[in-house]
Amino acid sequence: MKDRYRCEMDRLEPRQEKLDELYEMIEGGTEMKQAKRLSRKAAAAILVCAALMITAAAAAAPAVWETLWRQLGAFAPYAQTIDGAVCRDQGIEVQVLSALSDDLEARVYLSVRDVEGDRLDDCLTLRGNMSVEMEEKPEPDRKPPLVSVGSSVTDHFELLSYDSETKTALFSASVLYGDLFKEALPPIPAVQVAVTGMTTREMTVNGEVSCAGVTGETLDSLPVGEEDRVIFWVDSIGNSPYTAADLPAEKVVLAPEQNPMPLEGVEDIWVSSMGFASDGCFHIRLGFGEGIGVPLDESGEGRLYSDLLREGEDDDRQYTFQATLVPGGMDILFPLIGTADLEMLQSGQARVSGTCTRPGVDLTGSWNIDFQMEYHPSMTLDWTGELAGQQVEQVTLSPLSVTMHSIGPGGFSSVPLYAARQDGSTITAKSSTGRYSNIGYGTGETLWDVLNTWKFEEPVDLEELACLTLLDETIPVNPS
């Protein structure tokens, strides 16, 4: 099997350092050895999975499956390789490569490749959705909750990487079923990826800059010009106790390029000037590269935000600002931050986040892919009982996740769970999406129906598990 794997790798001719790295991982080297204790069955699965994934992903180029392998990590043996799920339109090829799913969540990986030109880049955004076919949910034995969590469709595609040499982007899309469809998945669900368009004209902004260099001096200021446009005032979204009456009487913006500095994590946008303007208030003036702009909605508001981050502090003043489009950028006014707050400013950071437009292409088309998705079903543990004041009614366990239904005064929304193997080693599961609802509503009683979920940091072999541990309480695992 290893010889077959090497042949597949050599045929695709990936870089030698990547070959060595993957060989080391498969043969028990540092990264995999530390991440997972492999059974013989799991080790064999990695070899088969690697060979199949590489073959199926060949159209997406070695650099793409290298990234996919990295993304999956220790979960690679549990992922399904999707064959033949590919379509083309407008000279763009969309291919579904792999799926990793249990009956709590499904994550699908797909590549997008320009086969006719060089129109894509690392700001590519997809429009469309991914949906999973569900069967009619049977009536459960227990009283159903008034509020459920979960969905069978998503319109969010996350860009994981872009390889400029092969003009290929790697995306993921995930559906979290929660308990809404816990008993509604067919044996092999039908999945549809429907992409209706894509664009490189949008840029997600999420950057920070230190305020340590701010001084108490007044920087050069300019009167707000006739062409300058206020696109946002924080009170307009109703989350601030402050109103327009708190704005300074003098309407000014900072002059550009007085103390320029980079906005960490963002290209083509920088801090042009930062400090106190002649109105006595703190301002940040952003500079925009050529072609960068802020999209406006129907009401004329933009979606580029800023706030001040101060460790250990909580004050509404940091979230109160006004944004004004100015030539070549945007001026952000914090009307409640003055020179008396200098020490606070110097110990904090300013964050800018939201969406901008940029030069690029916008494509409309039809990329529809249907495929069958396998998933890892959960086993129901043969245990119920009281745990930290909660009456636990059901615990289910898959190689990827744990779910718990309980009745009681609260839940375990932020509490980690641990799975113990029979050899004494443990695996951590981090808290994920959950819900609780008052099923006693209308009766005069308060009775909470609670769902908690956890995702494992690495997959587990159910046959090797001895128990689960939550808040020092032990839940036995008894696989059939």
Side-chain angles (χ1 to χ4, degrees):
M1 189 175 294
K2 186 183 295 185
D3 291 340
R4 177 189 173 193
Y5 172 70
R6 289 180 182 271
C7 287
E8 292 289 348
M9 296 284 281
D10 292 338
R11 183 175 64 82
L12 292 172
E13 296 183 326
R15 295 190 296 273
Q16 183 60 44
E17 61 267 25
K18 296 299 181 182
L19 278 171
D20 296 338
E21 192 172 340
L22 290 177
Y23 292 154
E24 180 68 13
M25 290 168 64
I26 291 172
E27 293 169 358
T30 56
E31 187 166 339
M32 270 298 218
K33 189 173 182 180
Q34 293 173 1
K36 177 178 181 180
R37 300 184 181 205
L38 294 173
S39 63
R40 289 181 178 272
K41 182 171 65 175
I46 288 181
L47 289 170
V48 174
C49 176
L52 291 177
M53 283 179 61
I54 293 166
T55 302
V64 176
W65 62 253
E66 286 174 11
T67 303
L68 176 56
W69 179 271
R70 290 283 175 212
Q71 286 289 327
L72 290 169
F75 291 91
Y78 293 82
Q80 174 193 5
T81 300
I82 310 298
D83 295 320
V86 60
C87 67
R88 289 187 182 183
D89 191 16
Q90 311 296 315
I92 303 294
E93 177 184 87
V94 177
Q95 179 181 6
V96 175
L97 304 177
S98 182
L100 178 66
S101 177
D102 62 3
D103 51 10
L104 174 64
E105 181 182 30
R107 182 171 293 274
V108 171
Y109 297 88
L110 59 149
S111 64
V112 180
R113 181 168 67 108
D114 192 341
V115 297
E116 293 184 357
D118 193 10
R119 295 166 287 178
L120 310 181
D121 58 29
D122 58 5
C123 287
L124 181 63
T125 301
L126 301 185
R127 298 189 294 269
N129 65 70
M130 181 185 78
S131 59
V132 181
E133 179 182 325
M134 302 304 223
E135 293 181 341
E136 184 178 352
K137 184 176 181 179
E139 288 294 328
D141 293 335
R142 67 184 183 87
K143 185 175 181 179
L146 298 178
V147 179
S148 292
V149 59
S151 176
S152 62
V153 63
T154 180
D155 60 2
H156 176 66
F157 295 90
E158 180 183 0
L159 178 65
L160 303 178
S161 70
Y162 179 74
D163 181 56
S164 58
E165 292 184 5
T166 60
K167 308 168 188 176
T168 305
L170 178 65
F171 284 87
S172 70
S174 63
V175 170
L176 180 68
Y177 311 121
D179 67 340
L180 186 59
F181 299 103
K182 191 67 176 178
E183 302 171 57
L185 281 173
I188 304 181
V191 182
Q192 182 181 67
V193 173
V195 177
T196 58
M198 56 190 70
T199 183
T200 61
R201 293 179 181 172
E202 297 178 0
M203 180 173 68
T204 299
V205 178
N206 189 12
E208 296 182 1
V209 62
S210 172
C211 298
V214 175
T215 69
E217 70 173 297
T218 300
L219 300 182
D220 292 340
S221 306
L222 302 172
V224 174
E226 293 183 1
E227 301 298 322
D228 296 347
R229 180 174 181 177
V230 175
I231 62 169
F232 189 77
W233 164 244
V234 72
D235 188 61
S236 65
I237 60 174
N239 69 345
S240 169
Y242 305 102
T243 68
D246 295 294
L247 293 172
E250 184 182 6
K251 300 184 183 303
V252 298
V253 296
L254 286 179
E257 300 302 311
Q258 298 184 70
N259 50 2
M261 62 191 77
L263 185 62
E264 185 178 350
V266 182
E267 295 183 3
D268 299 325
I269 298 179
W270 65 95
V271 174
S272 176
S273 300
M274 180 168 65
F276 294 99
S278 60
D279 59 6
C281 301
F282 178 63
H283 288 243
I284 300 173
R285 179 166 178 147
L286 300 177
F288 292 168
E290 185 176 356
I292 301 297
V294 179
L296 305 180
D297 61 21
E298 295 179 356
S299 65
E301 289 190 355
R303 289 294 178 257
L304 190 61
Y305 309 109
S306 181
D307 51 30
L308 300 177
L309 308 177
R310 294 173 295 147
E311 186 175 355
E313 296 283 346
D314 184 16
D315 190 324
D316 283 333
R317 294 183 304 173
Q318 63 184 312
Y319 300 109
T320 305
F321 71 94
Q322 176 178 276
T324 303
L325 288 181
V326 294
M330 186 172 82
D331 182 272
I332 304 166
L333 159 66
F334 291 85
L336 300 173
I337 304 295
T339 54
D341 300 297
L342 179 59
E343 185 177 349
M344 174 274 291
L345 276 175
Q346 292 174 336
S347 64
Q349 290 183 308
R351 177 174 60 189
V352 178
S353 59
T355 303
C356 283
T357 56
R358 64 191 289 270
V361 299
D362 190 88
L363 299 172
T364 300
S366 179
W367 296 268
N368 295 318
I369 302 175
D370 298 290
F371 63 96
Q372 300 294 116
M373 181 182 68
E374 300 171 356
Y375 67 96
H376 299 279
S378 295
M379 56 177 281
T380 300
L381 301 188
D382 185 21
W383 179 88
T384 59
E386 187 173 330
L387 197 156
Q390 294 283 111
Q391 181 59 42
V392 179
E393 293 192 327
Q394 186 183 75
V395 180
T396 63
L397 173 66
S398 85
L400 313 179
S401 65
V402 178
T403 66
M404 178 183 293
H405 290 275
S406 60
I407 302 291
F412 314 102
S413 61
S414 60
V415 180
L417 179 146
Y418 303 91
R421 297 187 182 94
Q422 295 171 6
D423 65 3
S425 60
T426 61
I427 312 101
T428 302
K430 292 185 177 180
S431 180
S432 185
T433 301
R435 60 106 186 102
Y436 61 96
S437 57
N438 182 11
I439 60 177
Y441 180 77
T443 67
E445 297 183 7
T446 299
L447 186 61
W448 295 107
D449 179 277
V450 184
L451 168 74
N452 287 112
T453 68
W454 293 264
K455 295 179 187 177
F456 286 115
E457 292 182 334
E458 57 184 86
V460 299
D461 186 335
L462 302 187
E463 296 178 358
E464 296 180 353
L465 294 186
C467 65
L468 304 177
T469 302
L470 182 65
L471 293 175
D472 296 325
E473 298 281 352
T474 299
I475 302 172
V477 175
N478 298 305
S480 57

